[in-house]
Amino acid sequence: MLLKNCVYFITIVISLLSIPILIYSIKNKNTNNCKSIKIINIFYIVFLIINVVVLPNVLSLDIGLEILFLAFITLIAIIIDIISIIICSKRIKKDNKIISFSKKSLLCSLLLIILPVLLLVCSFLKEYYLIVNSDLVLVYRSNGNGGIGDSKEFAYAINDNYCKEISLGVATGDYSLERYLPKKAKKIDNIENISNYNIVFDIQENYITIYKNNKLIHKEQINNNYFNIDFDGGFYINND
């Protein structure tokens, strides 16, 4: 899963989870569980804001107009979470006793908090690993139909063993990607002048084909949502 798709996925799942959590907070009569629900809700509010507002900018993810949809469902989820917090707070205050966590509620809370963080971290580390261990990182722009929000930046991390699409650091082309590259990386402005490599884009069949020393090493299908594609820059990393 691409890092930017991971951001989409986590945002949507956490937003959807706010509904059953609200229902449970209404039906639940156990104040111990109320405390767990409050903690989960507070964490999800903070995490959603970071996921939608902070991470796309910090990690230079090319989210595009999808950010409007993510912002909308995030706002709805935050409102629902706040309602759950209010309900649980009133129930805790009304009960007026020392509240402790049960093992079951503690485990459930930890899972609901740790899993989205772990998924996001693993997705980030995977793409970072692909970048720093690649020989080539090539950035392309899909111009779409030329309308507002149609263009998308995407990139491939390439070495002898893999040719993988990445989304980390490509929001502004190769400029934002540079911070994640080793210092030995050299800028590529012309895809025709890459030493030992020949990169072929088959627009009709939607494939990218990679030759090294005139030997075919990779043939990967391009995302069908990408078309009218131009080379936007890249980097060569000598890992020999």
Side-chain angles (χ1 to χ4, degrees), residues 8-46:
Y8 298 158
F9 176 76
I10 292 173
T11 301
I12 292 170
V13 169
I14 289 179
S15 297
L16 291 175
L17 276 175
S18 64
I19 298 173
I21 289 175
L22 173 62
I23 294 171
Y24 183 69
S25 66
I26 294 171
K27 292 184 175 181
N28 171 65
K29 304 300 179 183
N30 188 322
T31 50
N32 293 336
N33 293 337
C34 284
K35 189 173 182 180
S36 297
I37 293 169
K38 277 186 66 176
I39 291 172
I40 293 168
N41 280 325
I42 291 169
F43 171 80
Y44 278 176
I45 289 172
V46 174

Short mmCIF file of all heavy atoms in Angstrom, two decimals, residues 8-46:
data_model
loop_
_atom_site.label_atom_id
_atom_site.label_comp_id
_atom_site.label_asym_id
_atom_site.label_seq_id
_atom_site.Cartn_x
_atom_site.Cartn_y
_atom_site.Cartn_z
N TYR A 8 -5.11 7.74 3.41
CA TYR A 8 -6.54 7.66 3.06
C TYR A 8 -7.24 6.59 3.89
O TYR A 8 -8.28 6.84 4.51
CB TYR A 8 -6.74 7.27 1.57
CG TYR A 8 -6.21 8.20 0.53
CD1 TYR A 8 -5.93 7.74 -0.74
CD2 TYR A 8 -5.98 9.55 0.80
CE1 TYR A 8 -5.45 8.57 -1.73
CE2 TYR A 8 -5.48 10.39 -0.19
CZ TYR A 8 -5.22 9.89 -1.44
OH TYR A 8 -4.74 10.72 -2.42
N PHE A 9 -6.66 5.40 3.86
CA PHE A 9 -7.27 4.23 4.50
C PHE A 9 -7.48 4.46 6.00
O PHE A 9 -8.58 4.23 6.53
CB PHE A 9 -6.40 3.01 4.27
CG PHE A 9 -6.87 1.76 4.95
CD1 PHE A 9 -7.95 1.05 4.45
CD2 PHE A 9 -6.24 1.31 6.11
CE1 PHE A 9 -8.40 -0.10 5.09
CE2 PHE A 9 -6.68 0.17 6.75
CZ PHE A 9 -7.76 -0.55 6.24
N ILE A 10 -6.44 4.92 6.68
CA ILE A 10 -6.53 5.12 8.12
C ILE A 10 -7.57 6.20 8.45
O ILE A 10 -8.36 6.05 9.40
CB ILE A 10 -5.16 5.50 8.70
CG1 ILE A 10 -4.21 4.31 8.62
CG2 ILE A 10 -5.28 5.96 10.15
CD1 ILE A 10 -2.79 4.62 9.01
N THR A 11 -7.57 7.27 7.68
CA THR A 11 -8.54 8.36 7.92
C THR A 11 -9.97 7.86 7.78
O THR A 11 -10.83 8.15 8.62
CB THR A 11 -8.29 9.52 6.94
OG1 THR A 11 -6.96 10.00 7.11
CG2 THR A 11 -9.27 10.66 7.20
N ILE A 12 -10.23 7.09 6.73
CA ILE A 12 -11.59 6.58 6.48
C ILE A 12 -11.99 5.58 7.56
O ILE A 12 -13.11 5.65 8.10
CB ILE A 12 -11.67 5.94 5.08
CG1 ILE A 12 -11.53 7.02 4.01
CG2 ILE A 12 -12.99 5.20 4.90
CD1 ILE A 12 -11.36 6.48 2.60
N VAL A 13 -11.10 4.66 7.92
CA VAL A 13 -11.42 3.64 8.92
C VAL A 13 -11.68 4.27 10.28
O VAL A 13 -12.68 3.95 10.95
CB VAL A 13 -10.28 2.59 9.03
CG1 VAL A 13 -10.50 1.69 10.23
CG2 VAL A 13 -10.22 1.76 7.75
N ILE A 14 -10.81 5.18 10.71
CA ILE A 14 -11.00 5.82 12.01
C ILE A 14 -12.28 6.66 12.03
O ILE A 14 -13.01 6.69 13.03
CB ILE A 14 -9.77 6.70 12.37
CG1 ILE A 14 -8.57 5.81 12.70
CG2 ILE A 14 -10.07 7.63 13.54
CD1 ILE A 14 -7.31 6.58 13.04
N SER A 15 -12.56 7.32 10.91
CA SER A 15 -13.79 8.11 10.83
C SER A 15 -15.02 7.22 10.93
O SER A 15 -15.99 7.55 11.63
CB SER A 15 -13.82 8.90 9.51
OG SER A 15 -12.75 9.82 9.45
N LEU A 16 -15.00 6.07 10.26
CA LEU A 16 -16.12 5.14 10.33
C LEU A 16 -16.26 4.53 11.73
O LEU A 16 -17.38 4.28 12.19
CB LEU A 16 -15.95 4.03 9.30
CG LEU A 16 -16.09 4.45 7.82
CD1 LEU A 16 -15.77 3.27 6.90
CD2 LEU A 16 -17.49 4.97 7.54
N LEU A 17 -15.13 4.32 12.39
CA LEU A 17 -15.16 3.75 13.74
C LEU A 17 -15.85 4.68 14.74
O LEU A 17 -16.34 4.22 15.77
CB LEU A 17 -13.74 3.45 14.22
CG LEU A 17 -13.12 2.12 13.79
CD1 LEU A 17 -11.68 2.05 14.24
CD2 LEU A 17 -13.91 0.94 14.33
N SER A 18 -15.87 5.96 14.45
CA SER A 18 -16.49 6.92 15.38
C SER A 18 -17.97 6.62 15.59
O SER A 18 -18.52 6.90 16.67
CB SER A 18 -16.31 8.36 14.88
OG SER A 18 -17.00 8.55 13.65
N ILE A 19 -18.62 6.03 14.59
CA ILE A 19 -20.06 5.74 14.69
C ILE A 19 -20.34 4.61 15.69
O ILE A 19 -21.13 4.79 16.64
CB ILE A 19 -20.65 5.43 13.30
CG1 ILE A 19 -20.51 6.64 12.40
CG2 ILE A 19 -22.13 5.03 13.43
CD1 ILE A 19 -20.90 6.39 10.95
N PRO A 20 -19.71 3.40 15.52
CA PRO A 20 -19.94 2.36 16.53
C PRO A 20 -19.45 2.75 17.93
O PRO A 20 -20.03 2.33 18.93
CB PRO A 20 -19.18 1.15 16.00
CG PRO A 20 -18.24 1.67 14.98
CD PRO A 20 -18.88 2.88 14.40
N ILE A 21 -18.39 3.56 18.01
CA ILE A 21 -17.91 4.02 19.31
C ILE A 21 -18.96 4.91 19.98
O ILE A 21 -19.21 4.81 21.18
CB ILE A 21 -16.56 4.76 19.17
CG1 ILE A 21 -15.45 3.77 18.82
CG2 ILE A 21 -16.20 5.49 20.47
CD1 ILE A 21 -14.11 4.41 18.53
N LEU A 22 -19.61 5.77 19.20
CA LEU A 22 -20.68 6.62 19.75
C LEU A 22 -21.84 5.75 20.23
O LEU A 22 -22.37 5.98 21.33
CB LEU A 22 -21.17 7.60 18.68
CG LEU A 22 -22.39 8.44 19.05
CD1 LEU A 22 -22.11 9.32 20.26
CD2 LEU A 22 -22.86 9.28 17.87
N ILE A 23 -22.23 4.78 19.42
CA ILE A 23 -23.33 3.90 19.81
C ILE A 23 -23.00 3.15 21.10
O ILE A 23 -23.83 3.05 22.01
CB ILE A 23 -23.64 2.90 18.67
CG1 ILE A 23 -24.18 3.65 17.44
CG2 ILE A 23 -24.65 1.84 19.13
CD1 ILE A 23 -24.30 2.79 16.21
N TYR A 24 -21.75 2.68 21.19
CA TYR A 24 -21.33 1.96 22.40
C TYR A 24 -21.30 2.87 23.61
O TYR A 24 -21.67 2.47 24.72
CB TYR A 24 -19.95 1.33 22.17
CG TYR A 24 -19.46 0.51 23.33
CD1 TYR A 24 -20.07 -0.70 23.65
CD2 TYR A 24 -18.40 0.95 24.13
CE1 TYR A 24 -19.65 -1.45 24.73
CE2 TYR A 24 -17.97 0.20 25.20
CZ TYR A 24 -18.59 -1.00 25.51
OH TYR A 24 -18.16 -1.74 26.58
N SER A 25 -20.86 4.12 23.41
CA SER A 25 -20.81 5.06 24.53
C SER A 25 -22.21 5.39 25.05
O SER A 25 -22.39 5.66 26.25
CB SER A 25 -20.09 6.36 24.11
OG SER A 25 -20.83 7.06 23.13
N ILE A 26 -23.22 5.34 24.17
CA ILE A 26 -24.60 5.60 24.59
C ILE A 26 -25.16 4.41 25.36
O ILE A 26 -25.81 4.56 26.40
CB ILE A 26 -25.48 5.91 23.35
CG1 ILE A 26 -25.05 7.24 22.71
CG2 ILE A 26 -26.96 5.97 23.75
CD1 ILE A 26 -25.70 7.52 21.37
N LYS A 27 -24.87 3.21 24.85
CA LYS A 27 -25.42 2.00 25.47
C LYS A 27 -24.64 1.56 26.71
O LYS A 27 -25.21 0.93 27.60
CB LYS A 27 -25.43 0.85 24.44
CG LYS A 27 -26.42 1.06 23.30
CD LYS A 27 -26.44 -0.16 22.39
CE LYS A 27 -27.50 -0.02 21.32
NZ LYS A 27 -27.56 -1.23 20.44
N ASN A 28 -23.37 1.89 26.75
CA ASN A 28 -22.52 1.42 27.84
C ASN A 28 -22.89 2.06 29.18
O ASN A 28 -23.12 3.27 29.27
CB ASN A 28 -21.06 1.75 27.50
CG ASN A 28 -20.14 1.51 28.66
OD1 ASN A 28 -19.96 0.38 29.10
ND2 ASN A 28 -19.55 2.58 29.17
N LYS A 29 -22.94 1.26 30.25
CA LYS A 29 -23.24 1.75 31.59
C LYS A 29 -22.05 1.62 32.53
O LYS A 29 -22.12 2.06 33.68
CB LYS A 29 -24.44 0.97 32.17
CG LYS A 29 -25.69 0.99 31.31
CD LYS A 29 -26.20 2.40 31.09
CE LYS A 29 -27.46 2.38 30.21
NZ LYS A 29 -27.95 3.75 29.91
N ASN A 30 -20.98 1.03 32.01
CA ASN A 30 -19.79 0.81 32.83
C ASN A 30 -18.85 2.01 32.73
O ASN A 30 -18.34 2.33 31.66
CB ASN A 30 -19.08 -0.46 32.33
CG ASN A 30 -17.93 -0.89 33.23
OD1 ASN A 30 -17.21 -0.06 33.76
ND2 ASN A 30 -17.80 -2.20 33.40
N THR A 31 -18.62 2.69 33.87
CA THR A 31 -17.79 3.90 33.86
C THR A 31 -16.32 3.60 33.56
O THR A 31 -15.60 4.47 33.07
CB THR A 31 -17.89 4.64 35.21
OG1 THR A 31 -17.67 3.70 36.27
CG2 THR A 31 -19.25 5.29 35.37
N ASN A 32 -15.88 2.36 33.85
CA ASN A 32 -14.52 1.97 33.48
C ASN A 32 -14.35 2.01 31.96
O ASN A 32 -13.34 2.49 31.44
CB ASN A 32 -14.19 0.57 34.00
CG ASN A 32 -14.13 0.51 35.51
OD1 ASN A 32 -13.88 1.52 36.16
ND2 ASN A 32 -14.34 -0.67 36.06
N ASN A 33 -15.35 1.51 31.27
CA ASN A 33 -15.32 1.54 29.82
C ASN A 33 -15.42 2.96 29.27
O ASN A 33 -14.87 3.28 28.22
CB ASN A 33 -16.43 0.68 29.23
CG ASN A 33 -16.23 -0.80 29.52
OD1 ASN A 33 -15.11 -1.24 29.75
ND2 ASN A 33 -17.32 -1.56 29.50
N CYS A 34 -16.15 3.80 30.00
CA CYS A 34 -16.30 5.20 29.59
C CYS A 34 -14.95 5.91 29.52
O CYS A 34 -14.69 6.71 28.63
CB CYS A 34 -17.22 5.95 30.55
SG CYS A 34 -18.97 5.56 30.32
N LYS A 35 -14.10 5.61 30.49
CA LYS A 35 -12.78 6.21 30.52
C LYS A 35 -11.96 5.76 29.31
O LYS A 35 -11.26 6.57 28.69
CB LYS A 35 -12.06 5.85 31.81
CG LYS A 35 -10.75 6.61 32.01
CD LYS A 35 -10.16 6.34 33.38
CE LYS A 35 -8.87 7.15 33.57
NZ LYS A 35 -8.27 6.91 34.91
N SER A 36 -12.07 4.48 28.97
CA SER A 36 -11.36 3.96 27.80
C SER A 36 -11.87 4.62 26.52
O SER A 36 -11.07 4.99 25.64
CB SER A 36 -11.54 2.44 27.69
OG SER A 36 -10.98 1.78 28.80
N ILE A 37 -13.18 4.77 26.44
CA ILE A 37 -13.78 5.40 25.25
C ILE A 37 -13.29 6.84 25.10
O ILE A 37 -12.95 7.29 24.01
CB ILE A 37 -15.32 5.36 25.33
CG1 ILE A 37 -15.81 3.91 25.25
CG2 ILE A 37 -15.94 6.19 24.21
CD1 ILE A 37 -17.28 3.75 25.58
N LYS A 38 -13.21 7.56 26.20
CA LYS A 38 -12.74 8.94 26.17
C LYS A 38 -11.31 9.02 25.64
O LYS A 38 -10.99 9.87 24.81
CB LYS A 38 -12.79 9.56 27.57
CG LYS A 38 -14.14 10.11 27.96
CD LYS A 38 -14.06 10.83 29.30
CE LYS A 38 -13.20 12.07 29.21
NZ LYS A 38 -13.19 12.84 30.48
N ILE A 39 -10.46 8.15 26.14
CA ILE A 39 -9.05 8.15 25.72
C ILE A 39 -8.93 7.84 24.23
O ILE A 39 -8.19 8.50 23.50
CB ILE A 39 -8.24 7.13 26.54
CG1 ILE A 39 -8.13 7.62 27.99
CG2 ILE A 39 -6.85 6.92 25.95
CD1 ILE A 39 -7.51 6.62 28.94
N ILE A 40 -9.70 6.84 23.77
CA ILE A 40 -9.68 6.48 22.35
C ILE A 40 -10.16 7.65 21.50
O ILE A 40 -9.55 7.99 20.47
CB ILE A 40 -10.55 5.23 22.09
CG1 ILE A 40 -9.91 4.00 22.75
CG2 ILE A 40 -10.71 4.99 20.59
CD1 ILE A 40 -10.82 2.80 22.79
N ASN A 41 -11.26 8.28 21.91
CA ASN A 41 -11.81 9.40 21.16
C ASN A 41 -10.84 10.58 21.08
O ASN A 41 -10.68 11.19 20.03
CB ASN A 41 -13.13 9.87 21.78
CG ASN A 41 -14.31 9.00 21.38
OD1 ASN A 41 -14.38 8.50 20.25
ND2 ASN A 41 -15.22 8.78 22.29
N ILE A 42 -10.22 10.90 22.20
CA ILE A 42 -9.26 12.01 22.22
C ILE A 42 -8.08 11.70 21.30
O ILE A 42 -7.63 12.57 20.54
CB ILE A 42 -8.78 12.29 23.67
CG1 ILE A 42 -9.93 12.86 24.50
CG2 ILE A 42 -7.59 13.26 23.67
CD1 ILE A 42 -9.64 12.93 25.98
N PHE A 43 -7.59 10.46 21.39
CA PHE A 43 -6.47 10.07 20.52
C PHE A 43 -6.88 10.17 19.05
O PHE A 43 -6.12 10.68 18.21
CB PHE A 43 -6.03 8.64 20.84
CG PHE A 43 -5.03 8.10 19.84
CD1 PHE A 43 -3.70 8.45 19.92
CD2 PHE A 43 -5.46 7.26 18.82
CE1 PHE A 43 -2.79 7.97 18.99
CE2 PHE A 43 -4.54 6.77 17.90
CZ PHE A 43 -3.21 7.12 17.98
N TYR A 44 -8.07 9.68 18.71
CA TYR A 44 -8.52 9.69 17.32
C TYR A 44 -8.70 11.12 16.79
O TYR A 44 -8.42 11.39 15.62
CB TYR A 44 -9.82 8.90 17.17
CG TYR A 44 -9.61 7.40 17.07
CD1 TYR A 44 -10.69 6.53 17.00
CD2 TYR A 44 -8.33 6.85 17.03
CE1 TYR A 44 -10.50 5.15 16.90
CE2 TYR A 44 -8.14 5.48 16.94
CZ TYR A 44 -9.22 4.64 16.87
OH TYR A 44 -9.02 3.29 16.76
N ILE A 45 -9.18 12.01 17.62
CA ILE A 45 -9.32 13.41 17.19
C ILE A 45 -7.96 13.99 16.83
O ILE A 45 -7.77 14.59 15.76
CB ILE A 45 -9.99 14.26 18.29
CG1 ILE A 45 -11.47 13.89 18.41
CG2 ILE A 45 -9.86 15.76 17.99
CD1 ILE A 45 -12.18 14.53 19.60
N VAL A 46 -6.99 13.79 17.72
CA VAL A 46 -5.63 14.30 17.48
C VAL A 46 -5.02 13.62 16.26
O VAL A 46 -4.42 14.28 15.39
CB VAL A 46 -4.74 14.08 18.72
CG1 VAL A 46 -3.30 14.47 18.43
CG2 VAL A 46 -5.27 14.88 19.91
#
